[in-house]
Structure formats: structure tokens, C-alpha cells
Amino acid sequence: MTEQTKTLSLAINGYWHAGTGLSAGSESDAMVDKTEQGLPILSGRTLKGLLRDALYRAEQWGWFADMVIPESSNVDTASTTVNLESTAVIPAQERHPVLRHGAGIYETLLFGSHPQAKKADRQAGLLRVGNATLRKEESDWLTAKPEHQQHLYSQLFSTAIDEDGNAKDHSLRAIEVTLPMCLTAKIALVPKTEQHQKWLADTALTAQLWQALAQSLTLIDHIGASKNRGLGEVVIQMQDTEEQAA
């Protein structure tokens, strides 16, 4: 069973700062992450963390309480709908007892066992998340015309205020921010073990995994640093890779 892919589209509606921990001396106290070509990027590792946190919250809040993982042999593979009158369903915990440990069922399947799970019970997740970058056409154009890349970035300044309302000495801080834009990232269900192969062969199961992930995206409304200061407002949607490419 080969991997199954989707595309995430990130519509970033304001300035955003995906930092590197590096500064540029007196020019900026915090620089944003960039590709080797100098273009904006949100790392797959950061994006995966956001996805996991969103799915975790959705699952803990009972968003998927009515979803059960059906026995693949009793599911019409042409449809993700289960006929409850003729199909026996088994709670996910009983069908996959290894998933009882750690986080929720869908979080474990997609992202792997919770870090606090016992070592003997740990398992890898199915989901692979790529970097979020500009679309190829935009990236190619900006790479060919690097003189325009400077317009993708700006700086924001802040300073600390004392109790009298005056700026504190030496408190001026500048951070680099990226302008609003749309990014895309490829995500995939990738089999790493024999058990993963079996799960990916279960059409109903993979449909539920994608459904759970798609529903959780509404919980991600900001990316990057300084979210509480209004940076990084985002809307994330999931599409079939073929649809995105078209």
C-alpha cells in the first residue's frame, strides 16, 4: 500500500513571525525562517505540532465520540458510510488495544504514541507533514527575481513602558515579520510498519483519519510567534492533492 497524500492550504491574513531564534544584530532582534532561496517557510515540524495539538483538543472535547472504527471486511470500500443495520462495529479501543496507551485514538494513529506512553507500547504515527511554502509558480518567479524578495518582509517595533508612561531605556525591540500570503504543504499517510500497511488498506479507517484531521483544522487560528499580539491569523483547509494541483 503506497502513501496517501493531501494538500494543506494556509491563508495567512496578517503579519506573521515563524522565528529561527537568530538575530541580525542592530537591524532586527528576531529573524524569520526562510528557505535557502530567501523565501518564507513554515517548517513541517512546526506545522505538525500545530496539527497534533488541534487534533488532541478536538478528541479530548469529544468531537469524534460518535466515530467508530469499523471492521474493514464489513465495510463497502466504495463508500465510507457504514450500514449500522447490517454491519457490526467494534470500538477502536477493542480493535486496536495498543492504542489504549497515551493519547486519543486518532492522535495516536496519525502522530504516534504520546511521549509519556510506556516504551514497549510506543508506535510511530502515519502522518508525514512537509514544509509550508509558496506555490511553485510564485517560488520560481521570486527565485528568478531575488530583488523583489525584500518586499515579502517588514519589521515591527515595540518598547517597554514604565509606570509614568515613558519608554524604558534600551527596551526598543525589532522583529522581522512576513507579509500576509498563502502557503501550501503536502501531508501524507505513510506506512512504516506492517500494521500501518493494514491500516492504510482499510478505506473506511483512512477516511475517518482524514475526516478527523480536517475537522480539527478549525482549531488552528494562528501560527508563529506573538499570537496574543495579533500576529499570524490563519485559515487552514485540506484538499485532495489533485484538486490543489488543478
Side-chain angles (χ1 to χ4, degrees):
M1 175 62 63
T2 58
E3 64 185 51
Q4 301 179 23
T5 63
K6 299 279 186 181
T7 298
L8 294 180
S9 62
L10 293 76
I12 307 173
N13 300 318
Y15 288 136
W16 56 289
H17 178 89
T20 62
L22 302 176
S23 68
S26 60
E27 181 180 344
S28 180
D29 296 291
M31 303 295 292
V32 298
D33 199 6
K34 299 173 185 175
T35 66
E36 293 181 357
Q37 293 75 32
L39 302 179
I41 185 175
L42 181 68
S43 73
R45 182 177 182 179
T46 298
L47 182 55
K48 189 173 185 178
L50 292 171
L51 295 174
R52 179 164 195 162
D53 177 70
L55 187 71
Y56 168 80
R57 285 184 286 152
E59 196 158 10
Q60 294 299 311
W61 294 339
W63 284 22
F64 317 130
D66 59 341
M67 295 172 63
V68 292
I69 300 179
E71 286 288 353
S72 59
S73 59
N74 293 328
V75 174
D76 179 4
T77 57
S79 172
T80 59
T81 302
V82 179
N83 185 341
L84 296 179
E85 296 181 356
S86 60
T87 302
V89 293
I90 299 177
Q93 294 89 339
E94 296 180 19
R95 185 180 180 196
H96 303 302
V98 69
L99 301 180
R100 294 179 182 177
H101 301 278
I105 300 301
Y106 294 100
E107 181 190 355
T108 304
L109 283 168
L110 286 167
F111 298 98
S113 303
H114 193 276
Q116 296 181 353
K118 295 180 180 179
K119 187 174 182 179
D121 297 327
R122 292 177 185 173
Q123 62 180 47
L126 286 165
L127 188 66
R128 182 181 66 198
V129 181
N131 297 329
T133 58
L134 292 168
R135 297 178 186 273
K136 186 178 185 305
E137 296 80 2
E138 299 169 334
S139 179
D140 290 347
W141 190 88
L142 286 164
T143 300
K145 300 179 182 296
E147 66 273 15
H148 295 291
Q149 294 179 11
Q150 60 180 318
H151 303 299
L152 297 173
Y153 309 101
S154 185
Q155 283 190 317
L156 296 180
F157 297 89
S158 62
T159 187
I161 303 298
D162 63 23
E163 57 186 14
D164 295 323
N166 299 316
K168 293 183 178 180
D169 292 339
H170 312 295
S171 66
L172 181 64
R173 176 176 170 81
I175 65 169
E176 186 179 36
V177 293
T178 310
L179 270 61
M181 61 183 56
C182 291
L183 304 178
T184 61
K186 294 290 174 43
I187 60 176
L189 299 180
V190 182
K192 305 179 182 70
T193 65
E194 184 177 346
Q195 182 64 66
H196 285 175
Q197 295 280 4
K198 295 178 181 179
W199 287 341
L200 284 184
D202 188 335
T203 306
L205 173 59
T206 55
Q208 287 189 0
L209 292 176
W210 287 127
Q211 179 183 348
L213 190 61
Q215 290 178 358
S216 303
L217 294 179
T218 58
L219 295 175
I220 305 175
D221 53 10
H222 288 81
I223 61 170
S226 300
K227 302 174 187 177
N228 294 333
R229 297 184 179 182
L231 296 187
E233 181 181 337
V234 68
V235 175
I236 304 180
Q237 295 180 318
M238 187 171 70
Q239 304 167 309
D240 290 337
T241 300
E242 293 77 10
E243 292 181 5
Q244 189 275 334

